[in-house]
Amino acid sequence: MSAVATTRPLRVVIIDDTPDLRELLRIALTRGGFDVVGEAGDGSKGIDVVRLHRPDVVLLDLAMPVMDGLEALPSIRRLCPAAKIVVLSGFGAQQMSARAVAAGADGYVQKGAPLNTILDYVRDMSAGGRRPSRGLSVVPVADPATATPSADQVDQPEARVAAPAAAAGPAVGPGNVSAWEALRMAPYGVVELADEPLFRVIHANPVGARLLGTDKSGTPLATVAPDLASLVSYHRLDADATFETQVEGGRVKVALRRTGWSIMVFLDSTAEDVGLLRRAIATTAHEVRGPVAVLCGIAETLAWDGDQMALEQTRRLMESVARQARILDRITADLLTAAQIQRGTLRIDFQVVEPRTLILGAIEGRWDVEVAIDDERSVRADPLRLEQMLTNLLSNAHKYGAAPYVVRVRAEGAYVAIEVIDHGEGVPLEFRDDLFHEFARAHGAVATGTGLGLYVVKTLAKAQNGAISYAPGPHGGSVFTIKLLAC
């Protein structure tokens, strides 16, 4: 008798922080003849799973909480020197492929590539080959010794943009409503100050109010922008003064013009805004790519063998569709709200809202969160905006914090305080001052995000006569508190 050789299927570990994408990859790889022996949602747990199973192939995401893929790669390579490690990420391939191979990866596939393409690529890598690049979907790694950085990798200073010509600013009096209405749409800040020692704010267009951090008439300039107030005082008698300074919204170029009885201040942060916009587009594109990859993968999976799929698996895929659609809805809601804030068109529909009902409805079927209600009073708020604020804080807690997660409602004098609590590492001390700024992200953060969520929460709280604050938890983690007037 002759023995018939049998070949065992290659064993795969999937490390990605999106459970829906892990399930799709598991379905595709199993269908393609691989044996998925383990999964993990971050690099640290991924190392443990690899140590346990010693797989032949590792699919590894780059951007994950706790420990990202680039940090985990050297350890995984030491544990499985013969394994094929394929990095899977939504970041630009040209930016990350050289870094990934330098850390020990064998190949790189961008999220959003068709599942069949990913499957073929993993097969080729497992057989010892490398697939040619297919557009931007699948990219063979480059030799780090000869890799040339792309333009995106080179840190070049932003070009300076001159402040708007102050001569364009009209002499605006308190009754000249049409002039201020025209200036509302200006892409730079325009602030009118009373020509007196306190330089009180008379009027500010939306961009000016955002840069100063206030739109309240009568506010002394020194209370919101002390450096600017000092320079205005120094230059107030000059016929033509321009200078640069720092305000709450960032560094600005300033031009001053005097009217008969007031001082017009033009604030141009165009250079900084261009840099912010470029970073915002990049991070938002990455944030959108993940859900889109999952939705496309589900469509492919159902097209393969949806008719033969078990009812329970079909149900899980449909739940994934709902989850990813909600993520996309939250991203677009934040982008729209940020645009409304910038243009001064944000609207608030005040109603009497019961926090308990709103909180339970917001978390149902979405998050495993403990709810503690110590104050049953209603608040005067916009229910849709309040849900958007709560959802942003809970999403933030799940990205950057750790379980257990708690939403607590308590009394604070005339206010109802809604706390969102996690037990992670908390916000780094050096980042706390920038926490609620537009497009702000902590240095070295690996979790995805647009950088708009907390900025939107702060602005919506203020628009509803409330406030948002951060404090470190008494036993670690973070406590974000929304305060709204009780009614």
Side-chain angles (χ1 to χ4, degrees), residues 68-90:
D68 66 27
L70 287 176
E71 290 179 279
L73 255 170
S75 297
I76 293 174
R77 174 54 70 205
R78 284 193 296 270
L79 288 169
C80 297
K84 295 295 184 181
I85 303 175
V86 178
V87 166
L88 179 68
S89 179

Side-chain angles (χ1 to χ4, degrees), residues 141-171:
V141 294
D143 183 347
T146 60
T148 301
S150 67
D152 290 337
Q153 293 174 281
V154 180
D155 184 17
Q156 297 179 347
E158 299 289 349
R160 298 300 303 168
V161 180

Side-chain angles (χ1 to χ4, degrees), residues 253-275:
K253 193 165 186 177
V254 183
L256 301 185
R257 285 296 182 273
R258 295 176 59 82
T259 71
W261 61 284
S262 65
I263 299 174
M264 299 296 297
V265 180
F266 298 85
L267 307 173
D268 184 14
S269 63
T270 303
E272 286 71 23
D273 285 347
V274 168

Side-chain angles (χ1 to χ4, degrees), residues 65-143:
V66 183
M67 178 186 288
D68 66 27
L70 287 176
E71 290 179 279
L73 255 170
S75 297
I76 293 174
R77 174 54 70 205
R78 284 193 296 270
L79 288 169
C80 297
K84 295 295 184 181
I85 303 175
V86 178
V87 166
L88 179 68
S89 179
F91 287 110
Q94 296 303 321
Q95 291 179 313
M96 302 302 294
S97 60
R99 292 179 61 189
V101 72
D106 294 290
Y108 183 100
V109 182
Q110 278 189 248
K111 284 184 179 177
L115 290 178
N116 273 333
T117 302
I118 296 174
L119 183 59
D120 288 345
Y121 186 72
V122 173
R123 281 176 176 149
D124 259 17
M125 293 297 298
S126 303
R130 289 184 178 179
R131 295 187 64 79
S133 170
R134 295 188 182 181
L136 288 178
S137 294
V138 180
V139 181
V141 294
D143 183 347

Side-chain angles (χ1 to χ4, degrees), residues 11-17 37-65 67-88 100-107:
R11 303 163 75 248
V12 182
V13 164
I14 303 170
I15 308 172
D16 191 288
D17 65 337
V37 295
E39 299 179 18
D42 63 68
S44 179
K45 292 178 181 176
I47 292 171
D48 293 338
V49 173
V50 169
R51 182 181 291 111
L52 176 65
H53 295 287
R54 307 287 172 159
D56 305 298
V57 179
V58 178
L59 282 183
L60 178 66
D61 188 19
L62 286 184
M64 295 181 290
M67 178 186 288
D68 66 27
L70 287 176
E71 290 179 279
L73 255 170
S75 297
I76 293 174
R77 174 54 70 205
R78 284 193 296 270
L79 288 169
C80 297
K84 295 295 184 181
I85 303 175
V86 178
V87 166
L88 179 68
V101 72
D106 294 290

Side-chain angles (χ1 to χ4, degrees), residues 1 9 20 25 33 37 88-89 104 163 188 201-202 211-212 218 290 303 321 328 347 350 393 410 416 436:
M1 292 180 62
D20 293 338
L25 290 171
V37 295
L88 179 68
S89 179
Y188 50 86
V201 175
I202 299 172
L211 291 172
L212 288 185
V321 169
L328 290 174
R347 296 291 181 265
F350 282 104
L393 292 181
R410 59 176 177 82
V416 173
F436 296 101

